Amino acid sequence: MPHRESSWKFAEELVTESDAITLARQHSVEAGVDTVSPGVGAQLAVATSLLKARSIIEIGTGLGVSGLWLLHGAPDATLTSIDTEVDHQQSAREAFALAGVPAARVRMITGRASEVLPRMNEAAYDVVLVDADPEGVIEYVEHALRLARTGGIVLVAHALADGRVANPAARDRVVSDLRTLLTEVSSSPAVISSLATAGDGLLQLVKR
């Protein structure tokens, strides 16, 4: 096994997930819902903890794995979560309840992100997680940067598209959009950016 791959495996397996996150991850696998890896989840928690986040929004609820990690790092934060799937959000609610997260701290919005995000308040969030339909990633990041406060952070999960972004032979729309996004933010004066290779890649943007 190449050294980089063994290091990645070691880092992922080093993470200890709570019972609630483990169960939510299991349910996600059973439902065929992709989610953030343990290593990426831990980075989400570090980000919300460092910012002492009070207001978090995620684009893509899934079955609650990412939301639980975000709240793990910010016990007093309020989470707004957007998804098109009512059943997924109900499962996420159950996961939050199992973790002891008060219902009043989680606001679920069912709908298409492209229709919901324009109605959300500008510069109102400490942390914005983009973990939804990859074909809309550029539009979602544009909205996310509008929603994040100055000094806030935008996190983009699955930024390496299962390794395809680094593969020159891969040229589908998702890969092309992610390459465009990564190239643009790397030189943008509006953000400080970093691409972590944990899990399926995590793009981190601090809004200036």
Side-chain angles (χ1 to χ4, degrees):
M1 181 182 295
H3 292 310
R4 289 183 180 178
E5 185 176 343
S6 60
S7 294
W8 175 89
K9 186 173 184 293
F10 177 82
E12 288 289 335
E13 293 178 348
L14 187 65
V15 177
T16 299
E17 294 191 308
S18 68
D19 291 342
I21 295 177
T22 298
L23 186 59
R25 185 178 298 283
Q26 178 183 329
H27 289 164
S28 298
V29 171
E30 293 169 352
V33 175
D34 198 12
T35 188
V36 297
S37 74
V40 170
Q43 290 195 29
L44 301 185
V46 168
T48 57
S49 178
L50 284 173
L51 283 179
K52 296 181 173 58
R54 304 289 298 186
S55 184
I56 304 169
I57 185 169
E58 64 171 351
I59 306 166
T61 306
L63 272 65
V65 173
S66 55
L68 286 170
W69 270 117
L70 290 164
L71 291 173
H72 177 69
D76 299 320
T78 298
L79 172 69
T80 298
S81 189
I82 304 168
D83 205 291
T84 58
E85 301 292 335
V86 176
D87 291 345
H88 291 175
Q89 291 189 322
Q90 181 56 40
S91 294
R93 287 185 188 278
E94 294 170 1
F96 294 139
L98 179 62
V101 177
R105 284 179 49 207
V106 179
R107 176 191 181 196
M108 296 285 187
I109 300 177
T110 305
R112 296 176 61 84
S114 59
E115 298 172 358
V116 174
L117 292 171
R119 304 197 301 266
M120 308 305 289
N121 291 333
E122 183 175 346
Y125 297 92
D126 300 306
V127 176
V128 185
L129 172 64
V130 177
D131 187 16
D133 175 13
E135 292 188 357
V137 67
I138 290 179
E139 178 186 1
Y140 297 155
V141 170
E142 290 174 349
H143 281 297
L145 288 170
R146 181 182 63 82
L147 298 180
R149 65 167 174 80
T150 300
I153 188 167
V154 172
L155 303 164
V156 185
H158 309 292
L160 291 174
D162 198 26
R164 290 182 295 124
V165 169
N167 180 2
R171 299 182 181 180
D172 58 84
R173 176 184 169 184
V174 169
V175 168
S176 178
D177 284 353
L178 283 168
R179 286 177 182 149
T180 296
L181 173 64
L182 293 169
T183 300
E184 289 184 355
V185 299
S186 68
S187 59
S188 172
V191 298
I192 299 172
S193 67
S194 174
L195 176 60
T197 56
D200 193 21
L202 180 67
L203 176 61
Q204 304 164 85
L205 307 172
V206 177
K207 182 176 176 179
R208 284 180 157 171

